[in-house]
Amino acid sequence: MSFSVIGKPLPKVDAVSRVTGQAIYADDMLPPRTLHCRILRSPHPHARILSIDTSAARRIPGVVAVITGADLPIKFGILPVTQDERALEHEKVRYVGDPIAAVAATDEEIAAAACDAIAVEYEVLDPVMSIDAALASPKDERIQDYGGPNNIHKLVALEFGDVDAGFARADHVREDVFFFQGNTHLPMEQHSAVATYVDGKVTLWSSTQVVHYVHRALAKVLELPMNRIRVIGAAHGGGFGGKTDPFAHEIVVAKLAMMTGRPVKCTLTREEVFYAHRGRHPVLMWVRTGVTKEGRITAMHFKTALDGGAYGSYGVASTFYTGALQTVTYDIPAYRFEGCRVFTNKPPCGPKRGHGTPQPRFAIELHLEKIAHDLALDPVDMKRSNFVKPMTRTVNWLRVTSCGLEECTARVMDASGFRARNRRPGHGMGFAISSYLSGAGTAIYWNDMPHSEVQIKVDRGGVTAYCGAMDIGQGSDSVLAAVVAEELGLQPKDIRLVTADTDSTPIDLGSYSSRVTFMAGNAALEAARKMRALLVEAVEAGGRRFEEVTFEEACVLAEARFGTLTSAGSYTPPKIAGPYKGSGVGPSPAYSYSACVVDLDADPRTGLLHINKVWIAHDVGRAINPLLVEGQVEGSVYMGLGEALMEEQTFRKGLHKWPSMLEYKSPTFLDMPDVETFIVETNDPEGPYGAKEAGQGPLLPVIPAVSAAVFDALGVWIDEVPVTPEKIVEALRRRGKGEPARYGPPGFPDIPYPPCIKVAPPPREVDLAAPAAI
Amino acid sequence: MKNEVERPVDRHVVALHVNGERTELLLPVHKTLLEVLREDMQLTGTKHGCELGECGTCTVLVDGRPELSCLLLPIQIEGRAITTVEGLASGSELHPLQQAFAELGAAQCGYCTPGILLASKSLLDANQRPSRDEIREALAGNLCRCTGYMKILDAVQLAAGRMTNSLPHRGEG
Amino acid sequence: MLRLPRFKYLRPKTAREAARMASDLGPHAMFVAGGTDLLPKLKRRQFEVDALIGLDFLSRAIHRGQDETVVDAGVTLAAASADAGLRAGYRGYAEAAGLVSSPPLRNAGTIGGNLCVDTRCNYYDMTYEWRKAAGFCIKKDGDICLVAPSSPRCWAVSSSDTAPMAIALGALVTLAGPKDERELPVAALYRDDGIDYLAKQPAEVVTSLRLPAADGTRTAYVKLRRRGSIDFPIAGAAVAMRLDGSTVTSCRIVLSAVASHPLEAAEASEFMIGKQVDEESVRAAAEIAAKPAKPLDNADLSHFWRKRMVRVVVEQALQRAIDQ
């Protein structure tokens, strides 16, 4: 197929606004008479609030309003099943950083001083700071009043196929334990929101990935109808999943605007961003796999324990995600998954790039490497022999359509010279593959409505496309413009866009789970084709062909013929989930695939690693804009390396150990190796022009590839992320003493998983588009 | 902390030279250049990521050299020439660095971009054809979470090539 | 945004005037030069000030004499690291200056400021709210050292990259007080205490650094940090040595970031004198140098690992000096 826009490496449609500093981010806004808001946060990881005295704060000149939890008692939460958050807590605080009160003042300095003047009396409770502590009986009281036993939040147990029989027929069975430490998104832009209240209507500009979910939360907590609230996505300075929850500061500024009648702005300090968190769950994982002597998987049993932090956030989904996608890369004929999320007195964890799947991907890639070593098989070939095939269903009912695993693997194997390398002491290469969703198949609140809607208007030759999708820097605006332009025979810069404004744009669920290119792209495709059909009809009615006239002429003819020219398109993912409770997490209309080789040098004396190069091949289905796809791949590799080597959200004595950009380490220019990217195109049958996702998948294989490369270099397994020099040195020390040459968690705790829900695997002839019988 | 706002504010008239324009402002002496640019001069192109000098986002040029505006007091840099991202373009014509960044996808969310553009400009003013390693060194104090740095390096090299006229100014090249 | 507290800004025109102001105003007045160490700490409320005394008058000149070189305190770290004379004669010092933090910070931070940089600890270099939640520590507003609760003293870590190199070079620093000036070896500028880490009077201003005649002294500074930029040292070694053929005639090894003051590895330095420069002597010296280093759990990465790394950085610094 030959396209005029699709597949071209074009600059983003908003690139100039970014390089001139003209893009308006939320903190850049300063409407007249704006009040500045600061939030008072809990200094205790776990405490009951006995009293809050705001009188001293109110007396400070310049303070206009002070609110506490009593002003915002209604609970909210991103998932319908865990509406456990309040914008301001007035009964109990559950982590250092939990919001308690908020001040609106004429300037930020005064608001901060006033927060310090608010006197809160606490009854300090024993904090729960680890998975083990959460599983045990709490000394004082549980963190939340739902879930259980003890501080368990959620338990999941699913079994697909006959796992015991699978293990029985295995020639070799191995079990391993892994740990993936928590980390955070660290967007360069701190969260920020500005609210106004005019004529009974709240308008909120926010740095958010999800204007629609924020809209719903505001309506609920402020007790206003949705049509009296407008949420606009300001220019966005990075999210990566950290801005996909509705946040306290967004609700608070809206409330303060309602109370004071003035615009109110709140921008989080960097430390507060660490407390807002919603980042990668620390996950402890146990996996047991049976294989034939040729290395074919016969059965897998996977157990996870997630340290969820103090609130639910996306955690129920995250829990399911730690078990869902194992089957989407490897053909696992029988699979048992047991998952557990616990509450701890830490900032709540949620979705970070990959959402619950990088952790098990780390585990499974290394686990299979170890099995290959046990059997003296080549790990790459062993993995390949288990690769899932395109157009199949997995044992847990996930529908695999296009799958470029083979090609991705071949590309990185060739380019890296993985097989043929000259070894020098301390040099290692590691290989890993992975997969990710192109959008979650089920919405966060279940309904039968589309996940993305686009409207197009054309008048006097000008085209405008409207869509709720939020450009978070990944270029979703550019994708929309490219799709509409391609269909109408224009260039992207000819397409005006109105996006992420709940008043004027039709729904898009938000920029998370890598859904936007696929879903908004498909919606835009439908809308654009319908508009084109109108234009074609009008032109042909006059006896000419569409290709013979200019776009403006076609528009004139169509507008004269039909009146107002509008078209609409939408996308609803097919209902492909399996017939079992919990099947909502995992299905996607398409999966992307990635393969990665990491080349490094490891110093056995110091444990220091030098990453020389990363090769990454990513099956994106089709690159609507290869420049943007490369950018996502390179950025994902960067973030994967950061997590693999240095990022960790750790706690000491109940507090975040280092809530600063200095101490929370993310790679600088000098820490980033060269990356060679290969875009693989498998032309997915359902994606717009065959496109799938690119923003998350390429992160996943990088992390296990680093650890595999360390093993290749030094002969020690680091079964824990991040892979730091001290761990390597310790693993070498252990090997020197004749102990297992490994650093990682010693074991997996006893968790009271419920009996498994047993689910029959899909029959061979299941229709790929069959509705789920849930 | 709570009693801080009872203390008097020390204000001075400070003459700031920003992007070639001289402005006199009556400023609280404890406001950083970052705050003054954004809040008193409406030059919101300069962004902030941490306000503690740890991320490079707030980089501006002072007498052509990159410095962290979150750690500068206007009173200390009176008379020095300050350049912000708003001062890069000539009228509506983009600086070659801006043009290259836009063309090559070196700005994704764009939040780190103003600081990186200015640090890059300073590098190219001193070193017309920097190697990739020299660019990395010059930008080592600027963090980016979106791009993985690769396209930024490409864009700086592309701009350098164009500015030394060894490459065509824009378009194919 | 994190913002500074309110303060008055005073603009003395000379060091003498600045010192007098400081002397008159007492502990709630602090000097500010580049501000790259002070301003973040003020934003975190690690100091309470009524006034800042600007040191903008400090000269930014490097005076190359017949033998020695005098670097005025206002010279930026960037300028020091780029100076041809310093790179030629005192390479390790220029390197150390060039390794501090990151490029934009080095364009403002001064060499005088880096000599005086506050000791650091990850219980202390945190915001007011964080420290309130953790419990204040003995260095600021509290009664105990949070990293070593049973110890009566503060264990915050010396974090200057240039000070160890200046000490190894035998450099001298000039201090201007309210009444007079004095000069002392840089080594005498520091105390082994996390709180009272500077031996100068609070009102004294560092005005210049005098590097003795280069005389073929080989110098090297190796800095260990997690990332390639921005980070403070978590271990470091500065070496200044002279060789006669392949025999060491003088050697000074000073460690950064392993104690509350730049730690002179006197025994190791002594050991090297008279030895042949070979792998064996370098390893042995490094082993000896690492012994007194006692990093605690108040910086990045485990202190056990950092302790191990001390010998590695000493070896590397010795080798680099030898290879010059």
Side-chain angles (χ1 to χ4, degrees), chain A residues 130-204:
Chain A
S130 68
I131 293 173
D132 283 335
L135 293 170
S137 178
K139 287 202 190 81
D140 289 333
E141 62 179 65
R142 293 164 64 212
I143 297 170
Q144 293 285 358
D145 54 16
Y146 67 99
N150 300 323
N151 279 301
I152 291 178
H153 168 197
K154 177 77 185 171
L155 290 164
V156 174
L158 293 162
E159 181 166 328
F160 305 91
D162 190 342
V163 173
D164 292 333
F167 280 121
R169 70 181 173 89
D171 295 318
H172 177 65
V173 175
R174 187 189 164 98
E175 58 185 71
D176 284 304
V177 189
F178 299 92
F179 180 63
F180 197 118
Q181 180 58 281
N183 54 62
T184 196
H185 323 77
L186 205 77
M188 292 315 295
E189 183 209 14
Q190 300 133 325
H191 302 55
S192 181
V194 179
T196 60
Y197 184 67
V198 175
D199 195 16
K201 182 165 175 178
V202 168
T203 302
L204 180 85

Side-chain angles (χ1 to χ4, degrees), chain A residues 9-12 15-16 18-21 23 25 27-28 30 60 108-110 112-113 116-117 184-190 236-238 240 267 269-270 352-353 472-474 627 630-632 634-636 638-639 647 660-664 666-670 672-676, chain B residues 1-5 9 30 38-39 42 44-52 54-57 85-86 88-89 94 97-99 101-105 107-114 116-117 132-133 135-137 139-154:
Chain A
L10 299 170
K12 294 203 295 169
V16 173
R18 309 283 157 158
V19 301
T20 52
Y25 301 82
D27 188 61
D28 297 335
L30 198 64
I60 294 175
E108 200 178 9
E109 200 188 17
I110 294 173
D116 194 46
T184 196
H185 323 77
L186 205 77
M188 292 315 295
E189 183 209 14
Q190 300 133 325
H236 187 97
F240 315 109
T267 301
T269 64
R270 177 55 59 180
K352 180 187 173 189
R353 209 170 196 170
I472 57 172
Q474 88 284 49
L627 188 66
E630 270 171 26
Q632 289 306 300
E634 290 164 1
S636 293
Y638 154 86
M639 203 167 265
E647 293 189 41
S660 78
M661 290 192 90
L662 172 65
E663 299 294 351
Y664 179 92
S666 84
T668 68
F669 270 87
L670 293 176
M672 184 66 192
D674 272 332
V675 177
E676 201 174 323
Chain B
M1 274 221 39
K2 53 179 129 40
N3 301 318
E4 277 177 21
V5 290
V9 175
H30 69 291
R38 290 179 58 78
E39 297 166 0
Q42 286 77 50
T44 55
T46 303
K47 308 300 180 195
H48 56 107
C50 71
E51 302 98 55
L52 293 171
E54 301 172 347
C55 71
T57 303
V85 67
E86 289 92 344
L88 271 183
L94 296 180
L97 277 166
Q98 292 172 304
Q99 182 63 36
F101 270 57
E103 273 176 41
L104 295 191
Q108 287 186 25
C109 82
Y111 205 71
C112 72
T113 305
I116 289 186
L117 282 170
R132 262 173 114 80
D133 276 344
I135 303 171
R136 288 185 173 102
E137 287 282 352
L139 299 181
N142 292 79
L143 293 176
C144 168
R145 290 289 283 170
C146 290
T147 63
Y149 303 123
M150 314 254 327
K151 295 193 182 312
I152 294 173
L153 295 171
D154 293 341

Side-chain angles (χ1 to χ4, degrees), chain A residues 539-731:
Chain A
V539 171
E540 287 179 353
R544 289 188 291 170
R545 286 176 40 246
F546 184 70
E547 291 73 25
E548 290 168 0
V549 303
T550 66
F551 185 78
E552 287 70 25
E553 278 184 82
C555 291
V556 167
L557 291 168
E559 203 172 335
R561 181 180 181 79
F562 295 114
T564 310
L565 292 174
T566 74
S567 68
S570 64
Y571 180 79
T572 310
K575 287 196 167 22
I576 49 176
Y580 60 93
K581 186 161 181 294
S583 67
V585 171
S588 177
Y591 298 93
S592 72
Y593 289 89
S594 320
C596 172
V597 170
V598 168
D599 181 309
L600 55 77
D601 279 288
D603 183 338
R605 193 173 173 219
T606 62
L608 288 168
L609 297 176
H610 180 80
I611 312 287
N612 300 315
K613 190 161 173 177
V614 177
W615 294 263
I616 180 106
H618 182 70
D619 165 21
V620 69
R622 182 187 300 275
I624 289 187
N625 181 328
L627 188 66
L628 303 192
V629 170
E630 270 171 26
Q632 289 306 300
V633 175
E634 290 164 1
S636 293
V637 169
Y638 154 86
M639 203 167 265
L641 285 175
E643 297 193 27
L645 300 171
M646 58 180 76
E647 293 189 41
E648 44 185 324
Q649 173 110 334
T650 46
F651 292 80
R652 181 175 60 178
K653 300 188 177 148
L655 281 88
H656 193 304
K657 191 171 177 184
W658 35 49
S660 78
M661 290 192 90
L662 172 65
E663 299 294 351
Y664 179 92
K665 305 294 181 188
S666 84
T668 68
F669 270 87
L670 293 176
D671 304 302
M672 184 66 192
D674 272 332
V675 177
E676 201 174 323
T677 299
F678 302 96
I679 293 178
V680 169
E681 293 183 316
T682 52
N683 287 309
D684 187 76
E686 188 138 345
Y689 306 102
K692 300 188 284 189
E693 75 88 38
Q696 298 189 65
L699 178 147
L700 280 81
V702 174
I703 305 164
V706 167
S707 187
V710 169
F711 176 75
D712 190 47
L714 299 178
V716 292
W717 291 107
I718 307 301
D719 292 339
E720 199 175 288
V721 174
V723 177
T724 58
E726 50 204 359
K727 294 176 187 174
I728 292 173
V729 163
E730 177 56 22

Side-chain angles (χ1 to χ4, degrees), chain A residues 41 179 221 255 343 402 507 511 576 605 695 712 746:
Chain A
R41 296 173 183 272
F179 180 63
V221 177
K255 180 70 177 175
F343 289 119
S402 59
I507 283 288
S511 292
I576 49 176
R605 193 173 173 219
D712 190 47

Side-chain angles (χ1 to χ4, degrees), chain C residues 172-252:
Chain C
L172 298 148
V173 69
T174 304
L175 303 173
K179 295 207 176 66
D180 51 21
E181 251 183 25
R182 61 186 179 117
E183 200 181 39
L184 64 161
V186 176
L189 189 55
Y190 303 103
R191 283 204 199 102
D192 181 11
D193 185 63
I195 297 172
D196 262 315
Y197 64 97
L198 285 177
K200 70 171 182 73
Q201 293 303 308
E204 285 178 301
V205 181
V206 172
T207 56
S208 64
L209 179 72
R210 188 145 66 92
L211 303 171
D215 261 3
T217 305
R218 299 147 179 275
T219 54
Y221 177 69
V222 171
K223 174 174 184 169
L224 179 68
R225 54 181 166 181
R226 181 95 79 127
R227 300 181 292 178
S229 182
I230 305 176
D231 298 339
F232 282 88
I234 54 177
V239 165
M241 78 162 55
R242 281 209 260 267
L243 299 180
D244 178 8
S246 61
T247 309
V248 178
T249 55
S250 79
C251 179
R252 246 178 129 170

